[in-house]
Amino acid sequence: MSELLEFPINYEKDLKVLVERIEMIQNTFGLSKHDYTKISSVLLDIAYNMLNVGYKGKMNVRVKLVALKKISLSIDTIIFDIDQFNFSRFISQNSSWIQSFGCTLYSQYINSTATIYCTFPELHIFRLINNETIIQLSEILEYSHEESLLNKSRDQLIEEILARSAKLNEAVDLITQIKEKNKEIEKLNEIQIQQNIQLRLSMEELKKADQMKTSFLANMSHELRTPLNSIIGFSELLEDGTLGQLDEDQLDVIHYILQSGRHLLELINQILDISKIEAGQMELHYESINISLLLDEVHTHVSPLLLSKTIELNKTCTYMESTFFDPIRIKQVLINLLSNAIKFSNEHSRIELICDRFNEGDYIKFSVVDYGIGIKDENLEEIFKEFKQVDESHTRAFQGTGLGLSLCKKLVELHDGKIWVESIYGEGSIFSFILPIINGE
Ligand code: ADP
């Protein structure tokens, strides 16, 4: 008995290869058409049923030369791993018609493996063959089986290669896109570098221009102040009659000269201060301050202005401890705020100067309250900007430089403080600023 074929039944395409094998057996032995149909039907049916229920297995085809023109043929079909499989139903479904071909069919079921044995009645052959021929056929079948396995793995390999090359193509696409994006980024970087260079150059130029402006202003202010002080000094001498009595018209002229001179001096002083602060050259000289004394000094300073409009100044100071700040600069701020309050108040009016602790915090707060013309909401921020005067008709009437509040803001901020205004148009304004309380040396 020689084993012609050991054949795995794992995939549907294995059935097609099985048909080819049966054809080869048929050609070698020269079986009758009837026998060929019988063998192929039985083999295919068992193999198909195996696949159909999803259990893999293998098939062994055995052949034996019984007489000169007769062979015996049997098939073992081994089904693996059939625990869940209704094996007896499978056998009963197949057995009746297979037996109708005159085949004997029986089965064995050990552990998880089932074997179906199918033996055909002796078959007539029309070719002259011997055992040698059967061995040769077995080798051919074995060879073509291996070839088919190789084909299968080749097919699988090709499929895998195709799938991988598709992925590779996607990756190449992605890399190309990334490269393009990188190029764009490089271009943008270059533009940015150029812009940065331009920016740095512009900033350097700006810095130079700013330094030039500052030194120009400082020099010019100095150059202007010296002759201006002479003009004011000599005009005062003329006004108070030290150099002889003047008539009324001459006094009027001298009065205008003095007024314009003082205005110009104030403007120059403020410009000089602002440019000093902007150039970072303004140094603060911190001293321990007695607040009541400071308020008295400020009061004294603005007394002539108060008198000229018969305005009363009420001072309230609830902050009794001492603190540190630059008294000259803070006095400058207070005088500025008080002068504005007087300037924008009616005659016989009242002004309040209040000093207390801010929000129980570590700040001291100064407020100047007036009951004058007030400021419209939309101008509350504007007035702290340089040369901002909100109402031209008032400004003309009251005079001013438009620099006072801007300088106040800068001086307060230089002390790490904050300044703001609250106002009701037509009713009055409250200008407040806070300074951090500094104890000790
Ligand atoms: P100026 O020298 O013109 O007073 P400031 O910077 O001190 O310049 O003030 C800017 C503007 O703010 C003033 O022209 C005025 O319009 C407004 N202002 C300042 N203080 C008051 C105030 N107490 N009441 C009403 N308006 C004020």
Side-chain angles (χ1 to χ4, degrees):
M1 172 83 63
S2 44
E3 195 156 305
L4 267 188
L5 182 62
E6 188 187 273
F7 193 74
I9 311 283
N10 294 331
Y11 305 97
E12 205 152 319
K13 56 180 152 185
D14 293 336
L15 296 183
K16 206 179 136 225
V17 184
L18 179 69
V19 173
E20 287 168 14
R21 298 290 177 280
I22 301 166
E23 263 175 31
M24 284 171 98
I25 294 171
Q26 142 79 357
N27 290 337
T28 309
F29 292 106
L31 296 166
S32 70
K33 204 160 185 169
H34 178 253
D35 281 345
Y36 169 66
T37 314
K38 203 191 315 182
I39 297 168
S40 56
S41 301
V42 171
L43 255 69
L44 262 178
D45 201 66
I46 295 173
Y48 180 78
N49 279 334
M50 262 172 70
L51 258 186
N52 208 25
V53 292
Y55 293 88
K56 296 182 180 183
K58 66 172 185 174
M59 215 173 228
N60 292 327
V61 180
R62 292 197 180 85
V63 72
K64 189 182 169 193
L65 197 59
V66 182
L68 197 59
K69 291 269 181 172
K70 268 184 191 171
I71 54 166
S72 77
L73 188 78
S74 64
I75 308 162
D76 311 342
T77 306
I78 302 162
I79 308 169
F80 305 115
D81 206 12
I82 57 165
D83 283 346
Q84 313 288 320
F85 177 48
N86 191 339
F87 182 67
S88 55
R89 203 164 139 238
F90 171 74
I91 290 295
S92 69
Q93 268 182 1
N94 286 287
S95 61
S96 52
W97 77 269
I98 289 175
Q99 279 162 359
S100 72
F101 282 119
C103 299
T104 48
L105 193 70
Y106 69 98
S107 57
Q108 211 175 31
Y109 187 21
I110 303 165
N111 296 330
S112 290
T113 307
T115 312
I116 304 161
Y117 298 99
C118 178
T119 313
F120 289 83
E122 284 179 359
L123 302 167
H124 291 276
I125 51 172
F126 300 107
R127 297 257 164 80
L128 270 180
I129 58 165
N130 50 28
N131 281 330
E132 196 91 341
T133 321
I134 297 176
I135 290 165
Q136 273 170 10
L137 176 64
S138 166
E139 277 167 8
I140 291 168
L141 290 176
E142 187 63 31
Y143 172 75
S144 31
H145 172 61
E146 271 171 13
E147 192 186 40
S148 114
L149 279 179
L150 275 177
N151 279 346
K152 199 176 86 187
S153 13
R154 194 197 59 194
D155 287 352
Q156 275 176 353
L157 213 64
I158 287 172
E159 259 174 41
E160 208 164 302
I161 287 170
L162 284 177
R164 283 188 187 197
S165 71
K167 276 192 184 158
L168 210 65
N169 279 345
E170 277 173 24
V172 168
D173 277 356
L174 211 68
I175 289 170
T176 320
Q177 281 176 15
I178 291 171
K179 271 186 183 167
E180 274 167 19
K181 282 267 177 298
N182 274 350
K183 268 186 198 163
E184 278 173 29
I185 291 171
E186 265 171 32
K187 262 187 204 161
L188 284 175
N189 274 349
E190 250 171 52
I191 293 173
Q192 188 153 17
I193 288 170
Q194 287 303 327
Q195 281 176 343
N196 280 349
I197 292 172
Q198 277 301 325
L199 204 71
R200 204 178 303 152
L201 287 176
S202 311
M203 271 172 67
E204 270 166 25
E205 274 172 25
L206 217 67
K207 214 169 145 190
K208 262 188 210 158
D210 205 50
Q211 278 168 353
M212 277 169 71
K213 183 198 88 178
T214 308
S215 72
F216 171 79
L217 283 176
N219 289 338
M220 282 310 285
S221 302
H222 178 74
E223 294 301 319
L224 285 171
R225 263 198 303 187
T226 320
L228 202 56
N229 277 328
S230 310
I231 293 170
I232 292 168
F234 285 122
S235 304
E236 279 169 351
L237 287 179
L238 285 171
E239 191 190 38
D240 64 21
T242 317
L243 302 174
Q245 282 305 314
L246 302 178
D247 63 31
E248 226 167 87
D249 287 343
Q250 287 168 330
L251 268 176
D252 271 353
V253 173
I254 286 298
H255 184 69
Y256 280 121
I257 293 174
L258 255 178
Q259 216 180 13
S260 307
R262 284 182 185 137
H263 180 62
L264 204 59
L265 186 63
E266 193 191 338
L267 184 66
I268 290 166
N269 283 338
Q270 286 175 336
I271 289 177
L272 185 65
D273 283 346
I274 286 178
S275 53
K276 256 191 179 172
I277 294 174
E278 282 178 354
Q281 286 168 359
M282 172 147 321
E283 281 180 21
L284 295 178
H285 302 285
Y286 279 76
E287 285 175 27
S288 173
I289 308 293
N290 179 325
I291 305 291
S292 312
L293 274 180
L294 180 100
L295 298 188
D296 287 344
E297 279 173 35
V298 171
H299 190 167
T300 312
H301 192 97
V302 295
S303 293
L305 288 175
L306 289 166
L307 271 174
S308 68
K309 288 179 89 173
T310 338
I311 292 173
E312 196 184 310
L313 175 67
N314 296 327
K315 299 195 294 288
T316 320
C317 183
T318 56
Y319 185 86
M320 292 303 172
E321 296 133 68
S322 67
T323 179
F324 281 76
F325 53 72
D326 184 332
I328 293 178
R329 295 305 173 187
I330 295 305
K331 254 197 278 180
Q332 197 178 345
V333 174
L334 284 168
I335 290 168
N336 225 311
L337 296 180
L338 283 168
S339 307
N340 278 349
I342 299 166
K343 193 159 63 172
F344 297 107
S345 291
N346 291 326
E347 288 192 352
H348 308 290
S349 168
R350 179 166 52 92
I351 289 171
E352 280 155 42
L353 175 57
I354 306 161
C355 175
D356 51 15
R357 195 179 264 267
F358 177 65
N359 279 353
E360 315 257 322
D362 290 337
Y363 287 91
I364 179 171
K365 179 182 171 195
F366 294 90
S367 297
V368 176
V369 185
D370 71 58
Y371 303 91
I373 61 169
I375 303 157
K376 288 180 186 163
D377 280 357
E378 65 263 31
N379 293 321
L380 290 177
E381 299 257 322
E382 291 295 297
I383 55 171
F384 289 99
K385 293 179 183 163
E386 282 162 37
F387 298 109
K388 281 283 173 189
Q389 295 173 309
V390 293
D391 189 331
E392 302 244 320
S393 58
H394 277 131
T395 313
R396 244 175 256 126
F398 297 118
Q399 280 203 341
T401 59
L403 285 175
L405 286 179
S406 155
L407 182 58
C408 287
K409 186 171 186 296
K410 286 190 161 63
L411 286 172
V412 167
E413 285 171 357
L414 211 59
H415 280 83
D416 293 326
K418 197 173 170 265
I419 188 168
W420 69 95
V421 60
E422 297 148 274
S423 182
I424 299 175
Y425 187 59
E427 291 188 19
S429 315
I430 307 172
F431 281 83
S432 308
F433 68 93
I434 52 171
L435 302 175
I437 293 172
I438 301 172
N439 302 308
E441 298 308 305

